[in-house]
Short mmCIF file of all heavy atoms in Angstrom, two decimals:
data_model
loop_
_atom_site.label_atom_id
_atom_site.label_comp_id
_atom_site.label_asym_id
_atom_site.label_seq_id
_atom_site.Cartn_x
_atom_site.Cartn_y
_atom_site.Cartn_z
N HIS A 33 41.73 25.79 -11.04
CA HIS A 33 42.99 25.25 -11.67
C HIS A 33 44.22 25.43 -10.75
O HIS A 33 44.61 26.49 -10.41
CB HIS A 33 43.24 25.99 -13.00
CG HIS A 33 44.36 25.45 -13.83
ND1 HIS A 33 44.49 24.10 -14.06
CD2 HIS A 33 45.40 26.06 -14.40
CE1 HIS A 33 45.57 23.92 -14.84
NE2 HIS A 33 46.10 25.05 -15.03
N PHE A 34 44.80 24.27 -10.43
CA PHE A 34 45.96 24.32 -9.49
C PHE A 34 47.18 24.59 -10.33
O PHE A 34 47.70 23.78 -11.02
CB PHE A 34 46.08 22.93 -8.80
CG PHE A 34 47.16 22.93 -7.76
CD1 PHE A 34 47.31 24.00 -6.86
CD2 PHE A 34 47.94 21.79 -7.63
CE1 PHE A 34 48.31 23.99 -5.91
CE2 PHE A 34 48.90 21.75 -6.62
CZ PHE A 34 49.13 22.81 -5.77
N LEU A 35 47.73 25.88 -10.24
CA LEU A 35 48.78 26.28 -11.07
C LEU A 35 50.19 25.85 -10.56
O LEU A 35 51.09 25.46 -11.34
CB LEU A 35 48.78 27.80 -11.24
CG LEU A 35 47.51 28.36 -11.86
CD1 LEU A 35 47.59 29.91 -11.85
CD2 LEU A 35 47.32 27.84 -13.26
N ALA A 36 50.38 25.86 -9.25
CA ALA A 36 51.64 25.56 -8.70
C ALA A 36 51.51 25.31 -7.23
O ALA A 36 50.67 25.80 -6.59
CB ALA A 36 52.67 26.67 -8.92
N LEU A 37 52.47 24.51 -6.72
CA LEU A 37 52.44 24.23 -5.34
C LEU A 37 53.34 25.16 -4.51
O LEU A 37 53.27 25.18 -3.21
CB LEU A 37 52.90 22.76 -5.00
CG LEU A 37 51.84 21.75 -5.44
CD1 LEU A 37 52.40 20.32 -5.29
CD2 LEU A 37 50.62 21.84 -4.60
N THR A 38 54.19 25.90 -5.18
CA THR A 38 55.11 26.79 -4.52
C THR A 38 55.04 28.15 -5.10
O THR A 38 54.67 28.35 -6.25
CB THR A 38 56.57 26.34 -4.60
OG1 THR A 38 56.91 26.17 -5.99
CG2 THR A 38 56.69 24.93 -3.93
N GLY A 39 55.37 29.15 -4.34
CA GLY A 39 55.40 30.51 -4.87
C GLY A 39 54.06 31.21 -4.76
O GLY A 39 53.96 32.28 -4.15
N ALA A 40 53.03 30.71 -5.28
CA ALA A 40 51.73 31.43 -5.30
C ALA A 40 51.17 31.63 -3.94
O ALA A 40 50.49 32.63 -3.66
CB ALA A 40 50.74 30.64 -6.21
N ALA A 41 51.48 30.66 -3.06
CA ALA A 41 50.86 30.77 -1.75
C ALA A 41 51.30 32.04 -0.96
O ALA A 41 50.69 32.46 -0.07
CB ALA A 41 51.22 29.50 -0.91
N ALA A 42 52.49 32.59 -1.33
CA ALA A 42 53.02 33.68 -0.60
C ALA A 42 52.12 34.91 -0.77
O ALA A 42 52.19 35.87 0.02
CB ALA A 42 54.41 34.03 -1.19
N THR A 43 51.29 34.95 -1.83
CA THR A 43 50.46 36.10 -2.07
C THR A 43 49.05 35.95 -1.48
O THR A 43 48.21 36.84 -1.61
CB THR A 43 50.36 36.37 -3.55
OG1 THR A 43 49.67 35.26 -4.18
CG2 THR A 43 51.69 36.55 -4.18
N LEU A 44 48.74 34.82 -0.84
CA LEU A 44 47.42 34.64 -0.32
C LEU A 44 47.03 35.54 0.76
O LEU A 44 47.84 35.86 1.69
CB LEU A 44 47.26 33.16 0.17
CG LEU A 44 47.38 32.06 -0.86
CD1 LEU A 44 47.33 30.75 -0.14
CD2 LEU A 44 46.31 32.16 -1.84
N PRO A 45 45.86 36.16 0.69
CA PRO A 45 45.40 37.08 1.76
C PRO A 45 45.08 36.35 3.01
O PRO A 45 44.65 35.25 3.00
CB PRO A 45 44.14 37.74 1.14
CG PRO A 45 43.59 36.68 0.22
CD PRO A 45 44.84 35.99 -0.37
N LEU A 46 45.40 37.08 4.09
CA LEU A 46 45.16 36.43 5.40
C LEU A 46 44.01 37.17 6.09
O LEU A 46 44.02 37.43 7.27
CB LEU A 46 46.39 36.49 6.27
CG LEU A 46 47.50 35.64 5.83
CD1 LEU A 46 48.72 35.74 6.72
CD2 LEU A 46 47.03 34.16 5.77
N VAL A 47 42.97 37.55 5.32
CA VAL A 47 41.81 38.27 5.91
C VAL A 47 40.76 37.23 6.26
O VAL A 47 40.38 36.41 5.41
CB VAL A 47 41.20 39.22 4.80
CG1 VAL A 47 40.03 39.91 5.43
CG2 VAL A 47 42.32 40.22 4.44
N GLY A 48 40.38 37.14 7.47
CA GLY A 48 39.38 36.12 7.87
C GLY A 48 38.49 36.64 8.96
O GLY A 48 38.57 37.76 9.40
N ARG A 49 37.74 35.66 9.49
CA ARG A 49 36.83 36.04 10.63
C ARG A 49 36.96 34.95 11.66
O ARG A 49 36.97 33.74 11.37
CB ARG A 49 35.38 36.07 10.12
CG ARG A 49 34.34 36.23 11.15
CD ARG A 49 32.97 36.46 10.59
NE ARG A 49 32.00 36.53 11.65
CZ ARG A 49 30.73 36.91 11.48
NH1 ARG A 49 30.32 37.15 10.23
NH2 ARG A 49 29.87 36.94 12.50
N ARG A 50 37.12 35.37 12.92
CA ARG A 50 37.30 34.37 13.98
C ARG A 50 36.08 34.30 14.89
O ARG A 50 35.40 35.34 15.18
CB ARG A 50 38.48 34.78 14.83
CG ARG A 50 39.83 34.58 14.10
CD ARG A 50 40.99 34.76 15.04
NE ARG A 50 42.28 34.56 14.38
CZ ARG A 50 42.83 33.40 14.31
NH1 ARG A 50 42.27 32.34 14.73
NH2 ARG A 50 44.01 33.25 13.69
N ALA A 51 35.76 33.09 15.24
CA ALA A 51 34.75 32.92 16.30
C ALA A 51 35.48 32.44 17.56
O ALA A 51 36.40 31.57 17.47
CB ALA A 51 33.78 31.83 15.88
N LEU A 52 35.16 32.99 18.70
CA LEU A 52 35.88 32.66 19.89
C LEU A 52 35.66 31.26 20.32
O LEU A 52 34.54 30.78 20.40
CB LEU A 52 35.47 33.65 21.02
CG LEU A 52 35.86 35.09 20.79
CD1 LEU A 52 35.29 35.95 21.97
CD2 LEU A 52 37.29 35.28 20.68
N ALA A 53 36.72 30.50 20.50
CA ALA A 53 36.62 29.12 20.94
C ALA A 53 38.02 28.71 21.45
O ALA A 53 38.84 29.60 21.70
CB ALA A 53 36.21 28.20 19.78
N ALA A 54 38.26 27.43 21.61
CA ALA A 54 39.47 26.99 22.33
C ALA A 54 40.69 26.73 21.36
O ALA A 54 41.74 27.39 21.51
CB ALA A 54 39.15 25.71 23.06
N THR A 55 40.56 25.90 20.39
CA THR A 55 41.69 25.49 19.54
C THR A 55 41.62 26.18 18.20
O THR A 55 40.65 26.03 17.43
CB THR A 55 41.66 23.97 19.35
OG1 THR A 55 41.63 23.29 20.56
CG2 THR A 55 42.86 23.54 18.53
N PRO A 56 42.66 26.92 17.82
CA PRO A 56 42.75 27.65 16.53
C PRO A 56 42.68 26.60 15.39
O PRO A 56 43.35 25.54 15.43
CB PRO A 56 44.03 28.39 16.57
CG PRO A 56 44.33 28.55 18.01
CD PRO A 56 43.87 27.23 18.67
N PHE A 57 41.89 26.87 14.43
CA PHE A 57 41.82 25.99 13.21
C PHE A 57 41.46 26.93 12.00
O PHE A 57 40.50 27.65 12.11
CB PHE A 57 40.75 24.94 13.40
CG PHE A 57 40.84 23.82 12.36
CD1 PHE A 57 41.62 22.75 12.50
CD2 PHE A 57 39.94 23.85 11.28
CE1 PHE A 57 41.66 21.74 11.61
CE2 PHE A 57 39.93 22.90 10.28
CZ PHE A 57 40.79 21.80 10.48
N THR A 58 42.21 26.85 10.94
CA THR A 58 42.03 27.72 9.79
C THR A 58 41.44 26.97 8.60
O THR A 58 42.02 26.03 8.13
CB THR A 58 43.34 28.41 9.44
OG1 THR A 58 43.82 29.19 10.52
CG2 THR A 58 43.16 29.37 8.25
N PHE A 59 40.36 27.53 8.07
CA PHE A 59 39.69 27.00 6.89
C PHE A 59 39.83 27.97 5.73
O PHE A 59 39.38 29.06 5.86
CB PHE A 59 38.20 26.76 7.28
CG PHE A 59 37.36 26.49 6.06
CD1 PHE A 59 37.74 25.62 5.04
CD2 PHE A 59 36.01 27.01 6.02
CE1 PHE A 59 36.86 25.37 3.99
CE2 PHE A 59 35.18 26.67 4.98
CZ PHE A 59 35.63 25.91 3.95
N GLN A 60 40.43 27.51 4.65
CA GLN A 60 40.60 28.35 3.43
C GLN A 60 39.44 28.02 2.51
O GLN A 60 39.35 26.84 1.96
CB GLN A 60 41.94 28.08 2.77
CG GLN A 60 42.05 28.76 1.43
CD GLN A 60 42.17 30.30 1.56
OE1 GLN A 60 43.08 30.81 2.11
NE2 GLN A 60 41.13 30.95 0.98
N ALA A 61 38.53 28.94 2.27
CA ALA A 61 37.47 28.73 1.27
C ALA A 61 38.08 28.89 -0.10
O ALA A 61 39.17 29.43 -0.35
CB ALA A 61 36.35 29.77 1.47
N SER A 62 37.33 28.36 -1.08
CA SER A 62 37.85 28.31 -2.46
C SER A 62 37.36 29.45 -3.31
O SER A 62 37.73 29.56 -4.47
CB SER A 62 37.47 26.99 -3.11
OG SER A 62 36.03 26.69 -2.95
N TRP A 63 36.48 30.28 -2.80
CA TRP A 63 35.96 31.37 -3.59
C TRP A 63 35.43 32.51 -2.70
O TRP A 63 35.58 32.42 -1.47
CB TRP A 63 34.84 30.93 -4.52
CG TRP A 63 34.48 31.88 -5.57
CD1 TRP A 63 33.22 32.46 -5.79
CD2 TRP A 63 35.31 32.49 -6.59
NE1 TRP A 63 33.25 33.30 -6.86
CE2 TRP A 63 34.50 33.38 -7.35
CE3 TRP A 63 36.68 32.35 -6.88
CZ2 TRP A 63 35.06 34.10 -8.41
CZ3 TRP A 63 37.21 33.09 -7.94
CH2 TRP A 63 36.36 33.98 -8.70
N ILE A 64 34.89 33.58 -3.27
CA ILE A 64 34.45 34.73 -2.44
C ILE A 64 33.20 34.23 -1.66
O ILE A 64 32.68 33.15 -1.89
CB ILE A 64 34.03 35.91 -3.38
CG1 ILE A 64 32.91 35.47 -4.31
CG2 ILE A 64 35.25 36.40 -4.15
CD1 ILE A 64 32.27 36.63 -5.07
N ASN A 65 32.79 35.06 -0.77
CA ASN A 65 31.68 34.71 0.11
C ASN A 65 30.36 34.73 -0.64
O ASN A 65 29.67 35.80 -0.75
CB ASN A 65 31.55 35.67 1.34
CG ASN A 65 32.77 35.48 2.25
OD1 ASN A 65 33.66 34.67 2.04
ND2 ASN A 65 32.88 36.35 3.25
N ASP A 66 29.91 33.58 -1.03
CA ASP A 66 28.62 33.49 -1.72
C ASP A 66 27.97 32.24 -1.19
O ASP A 66 28.41 31.62 -0.24
CB ASP A 66 28.68 33.50 -3.30
CG ASP A 66 29.46 32.32 -3.81
OD1 ASP A 66 29.76 31.34 -3.10
OD2 ASP A 66 29.84 32.37 -4.98
N ALA A 67 26.83 31.87 -1.79
CA ALA A 67 25.98 30.79 -1.32
C ALA A 67 26.72 29.44 -1.26
O ALA A 67 26.27 28.51 -0.62
CB ALA A 67 24.72 30.65 -2.06
N GLU A 68 27.76 29.31 -2.01
CA GLU A 68 28.52 28.04 -2.00
C GLU A 68 28.98 27.67 -0.65
O GLU A 68 29.27 26.55 -0.30
CB GLU A 68 29.75 28.21 -2.97
CG GLU A 68 30.52 26.96 -3.14
CD GLU A 68 31.65 27.18 -4.19
OE1 GLU A 68 31.70 28.29 -4.81
OE2 GLU A 68 32.46 26.24 -4.41
N PHE A 69 29.08 28.65 0.27
CA PHE A 69 29.64 28.42 1.63
C PHE A 69 28.55 28.66 2.69
O PHE A 69 28.86 28.88 3.92
CB PHE A 69 30.84 29.28 1.87
CG PHE A 69 31.80 29.12 0.70
CD1 PHE A 69 31.88 30.17 -0.20
CD2 PHE A 69 32.52 27.99 0.53
CE1 PHE A 69 32.75 30.08 -1.26
CE2 PHE A 69 33.39 27.88 -0.58
CZ PHE A 69 33.53 28.93 -1.46
N THR A 70 27.25 28.65 2.38
CA THR A 70 26.13 28.93 3.27
C THR A 70 26.20 28.09 4.55
O THR A 70 26.00 28.64 5.60
CB THR A 70 24.84 28.72 2.56
OG1 THR A 70 24.76 29.55 1.43
CG2 THR A 70 23.68 29.09 3.53
N GLY A 71 26.58 26.82 4.39
CA GLY A 71 26.57 25.94 5.56
C GLY A 71 27.64 26.34 6.58
O GLY A 71 27.34 26.20 7.81
N TYR A 72 28.76 26.78 6.09
CA TYR A 72 29.85 27.23 7.07
C TYR A 72 29.49 28.54 7.77
O TYR A 72 29.73 28.71 8.92
CB TYR A 72 31.16 27.33 6.30
CG TYR A 72 31.48 26.11 5.43
CD1 TYR A 72 31.36 26.16 4.09
CD2 TYR A 72 31.81 24.94 6.09
CE1 TYR A 72 31.66 25.08 3.30
CE2 TYR A 72 32.10 23.80 5.30
CZ TYR A 72 32.00 23.87 3.92
OH TYR A 72 32.23 22.71 3.13
N PHE A 73 28.80 29.46 7.02
CA PHE A 73 28.39 30.72 7.56
C PHE A 73 27.36 30.48 8.67
O PHE A 73 27.40 31.07 9.73
CB PHE A 73 27.85 31.66 6.49
CG PHE A 73 28.82 31.99 5.45
CD1 PHE A 73 28.30 32.32 4.10
CD2 PHE A 73 30.19 31.96 5.62
CE1 PHE A 73 29.19 32.68 3.13
CE2 PHE A 73 31.05 32.32 4.58
CZ PHE A 73 30.60 32.65 3.36
N THR A 74 26.46 29.54 8.37
CA THR A 74 25.45 29.22 9.34
C THR A 74 26.05 28.61 10.61
O THR A 74 25.70 28.99 11.69
CB THR A 74 24.48 28.25 8.77
OG1 THR A 74 23.87 28.77 7.49
CG2 THR A 74 23.33 27.83 9.68
N ALA A 75 26.99 27.70 10.41
CA ALA A 75 27.72 27.05 11.54
C ALA A 75 28.43 28.07 12.40
O ALA A 75 28.47 28.04 13.58
CB ALA A 75 28.62 25.97 11.05
N LEU A 76 29.09 29.03 11.72
CA LEU A 76 29.78 30.06 12.45
C LEU A 76 28.83 30.94 13.22
O LEU A 76 29.08 31.21 14.43
CB LEU A 76 30.59 30.94 11.46
CG LEU A 76 32.01 30.41 11.09
CD1 LEU A 76 32.50 31.13 9.85
CD2 LEU A 76 32.97 30.61 12.27
N ASP A 77 27.81 31.42 12.63
CA ASP A 77 26.92 32.37 13.28
C ASP A 77 26.15 31.70 14.41
O ASP A 77 25.77 32.32 15.37
CB ASP A 77 25.94 32.94 12.25
CG ASP A 77 26.55 33.99 11.35
OD1 ASP A 77 27.78 34.25 11.53
OD2 ASP A 77 25.92 34.50 10.46
N LYS A 78 25.88 30.42 14.29
CA LYS A 78 25.16 29.68 15.33
C LYS A 78 26.07 29.06 16.41
O LYS A 78 25.54 28.48 17.31
CB LYS A 78 24.30 28.60 14.72
CG LYS A 78 23.09 29.17 13.95
CD LYS A 78 22.07 28.14 13.56
CE LYS A 78 20.79 28.69 13.13
NZ LYS A 78 20.05 29.41 14.25
N GLY A 79 27.32 29.26 16.28
CA GLY A 79 28.23 28.80 17.26
C GLY A 79 28.62 27.40 17.26
O GLY A 79 29.10 26.76 18.24
N TYR A 80 28.31 26.67 16.12
CA TYR A 80 28.56 25.22 16.05
C TYR A 80 30.01 24.89 16.13
O TYR A 80 30.37 23.87 16.76
CB TYR A 80 28.00 24.69 14.78
CG TYR A 80 26.47 24.75 14.57
CD1 TYR A 80 25.88 24.64 13.37
CD2 TYR A 80 25.68 24.99 15.69
CE1 TYR A 80 24.52 24.73 13.22
CE2 TYR A 80 24.26 25.05 15.56
CZ TYR A 80 23.72 24.97 14.29
OH TYR A 80 22.37 25.01 14.13
N PHE A 81 30.90 25.72 15.60
CA PHE A 81 32.34 25.41 15.68
C PHE A 81 32.85 25.66 17.09
O PHE A 81 33.60 24.81 17.64
CB PHE A 81 33.10 26.34 14.65
CG PHE A 81 32.88 26.01 13.22
CD1 PHE A 81 32.12 26.78 12.43
CD2 PHE A 81 33.36 24.77 12.64
CE1 PHE A 81 31.91 26.53 11.11
CE2 PHE A 81 33.15 24.52 11.33
CZ PHE A 81 32.41 25.37 10.52
N ALA A 82 32.38 26.70 17.68
CA ALA A 82 32.75 27.00 19.06
C ALA A 82 32.29 25.87 19.98
O ALA A 82 33.04 25.51 20.91
CB ALA A 82 32.16 28.34 19.52
N ALA A 83 31.14 25.37 19.76
CA ALA A 83 30.59 24.23 20.56
C ALA A 83 31.46 22.97 20.48
O ALA A 83 31.51 22.14 21.34
CB ALA A 83 29.22 23.96 20.20
N GLU A 84 32.17 22.84 19.31
CA GLU A 84 33.11 21.75 19.07
C GLU A 84 34.56 22.04 19.60
O GLU A 84 35.38 21.23 19.39
CB GLU A 84 33.17 21.41 17.57
CG GLU A 84 31.83 20.85 17.06
CD GLU A 84 31.66 19.38 17.54
OE1 GLU A 84 32.60 18.75 17.98
OE2 GLU A 84 30.50 18.98 17.52
N GLY A 85 34.68 23.20 20.22
CA GLY A 85 35.95 23.53 20.77
C GLY A 85 36.93 24.12 19.75
O GLY A 85 38.17 24.12 19.99
N LEU A 86 36.44 24.66 18.67
CA LEU A 86 37.27 25.19 17.65
C LEU A 86 37.18 26.77 17.62
O LEU A 86 36.10 27.30 17.65
CB LEU A 86 36.89 24.67 16.25
CG LEU A 86 37.06 23.21 15.98
CD1 LEU A 86 36.70 22.88 14.59
CD2 LEU A 86 38.57 22.79 16.24
N ASP A 87 38.34 27.38 17.48
CA ASP A 87 38.44 28.83 17.24
C ASP A 87 38.62 28.90 15.69
O ASP A 87 39.78 28.88 15.25
CB ASP A 87 39.56 29.45 18.02
CG ASP A 87 39.77 30.85 17.69
OD1 ASP A 87 38.98 31.48 16.93
OD2 ASP A 87 40.79 31.45 18.15
N LEU A 88 37.55 28.92 14.90
CA LEU A 88 37.67 28.82 13.51
C LEU A 88 38.06 30.11 12.86
O LEU A 88 37.40 31.14 12.99
CB LEU A 88 36.38 28.33 12.83
CG LEU A 88 36.52 27.99 11.36
CD1 LEU A 88 37.38 26.72 11.15
CD2 LEU A 88 35.15 27.87 10.64
N ASN A 89 39.11 30.13 12.07
CA ASN A 89 39.56 31.30 11.30
C ASN A 89 39.11 30.96 9.84
O ASN A 89 39.73 30.13 9.17
CB ASN A 89 41.05 31.50 11.39
CG ASN A 89 41.46 32.77 10.66
OD1 ASN A 89 40.73 33.69 10.51
ND2 ASN A 89 42.71 32.77 10.25
N TYR A 90 38.14 31.69 9.38
CA TYR A 90 37.58 31.51 8.00
C TYR A 90 38.28 32.45 7.04
O TYR A 90 38.18 33.71 7.20
CB TYR A 90 36.10 31.69 7.97
CG TYR A 90 35.46 31.66 6.63
CD1 TYR A 90 35.04 30.47 6.09
CD2 TYR A 90 35.34 32.78 5.86
CE1 TYR A 90 34.48 30.35 4.77
CE2 TYR A 90 34.84 32.76 4.54
CZ TYR A 90 34.42 31.56 4.03
OH TYR A 90 33.89 31.52 2.77
N LEU A 91 38.97 31.93 6.02
CA LEU A 91 39.63 32.77 5.02
C LEU A 91 38.86 32.70 3.71
O LEU A 91 38.77 31.59 3.13
CB LEU A 91 41.10 32.25 4.80
CG LEU A 91 42.02 32.22 5.99
CD1 LEU A 91 43.37 31.69 5.54
CD2 LEU A 91 42.12 33.57 6.68
N PRO A 92 38.28 33.79 3.22
CA PRO A 92 37.61 33.76 1.94
C PRO A 92 38.59 33.56 0.84
O PRO A 92 39.79 33.89 0.95
CB PRO A 92 36.99 35.16 1.87
CG PRO A 92 37.82 36.03 2.74
CD PRO A 92 38.29 35.09 3.85
N GLY A 93 38.08 33.01 -0.25
CA GLY A 93 38.92 32.86 -1.46
C GLY A 93 38.71 33.89 -2.43
O GLY A 93 38.23 34.94 -2.14
N GLY A 94 39.09 33.62 -3.68
CA GLY A 94 38.96 34.59 -4.74
C GLY A 94 39.72 34.11 -5.99
O GLY A 94 40.34 33.04 -5.98
N PRO A 95 39.64 34.91 -7.04
CA PRO A 95 40.29 34.46 -8.34
C PRO A 95 41.80 34.24 -8.25
O PRO A 95 42.34 33.48 -9.01
CB PRO A 95 39.97 35.59 -9.29
CG PRO A 95 39.68 36.79 -8.43
CD PRO A 95 39.06 36.25 -7.19
N ASP A 96 42.47 34.85 -7.26
CA ASP A 96 43.93 34.68 -7.18
C ASP A 96 44.31 33.75 -6.06
O ASP A 96 45.57 33.56 -5.75
CB ASP A 96 44.59 36.05 -6.94
CG ASP A 96 44.34 37.03 -8.06
OD1 ASP A 96 44.35 36.58 -9.21
OD2 ASP A 96 44.14 38.25 -7.77
N VAL A 97 43.37 33.08 -5.43
CA VAL A 97 43.67 32.19 -4.34
C VAL A 97 43.70 30.75 -4.88
O VAL A 97 42.69 30.26 -5.50
CB VAL A 97 42.63 32.31 -3.22
CG1 VAL A 97 42.85 31.22 -2.18
CG2 VAL A 97 42.70 33.65 -2.57
#
Side-chain angles (χ1 to χ4, degrees):
H33 186 48
F34 185 43
L35 300 176
L37 288 174
T38 59
T43 64
L44 292 177
L46 290 179
V47 180
R49 172 172 176 173
R50 289 186 180 275
L52 296 178
T55 305
F57 192 84
T58 300
F59 168 39
Q60 174 67 65
S62 50
W63 192 239
I64 64 170
N65 293 355
D66 63 13
E68 186 173 356
F69 311 105
T70 303
Y72 309 108
F73 301 153
T74 302
L76 274 162
D77 287 358
K78 286 190 167 295
Y80 296 161
F81 292 108
E84 290 290 337
L86 294 182
D87 176 6
L88 188 73
N89 185 25
Y90 174 90
L91 303 179
D96 299 323
V97 173

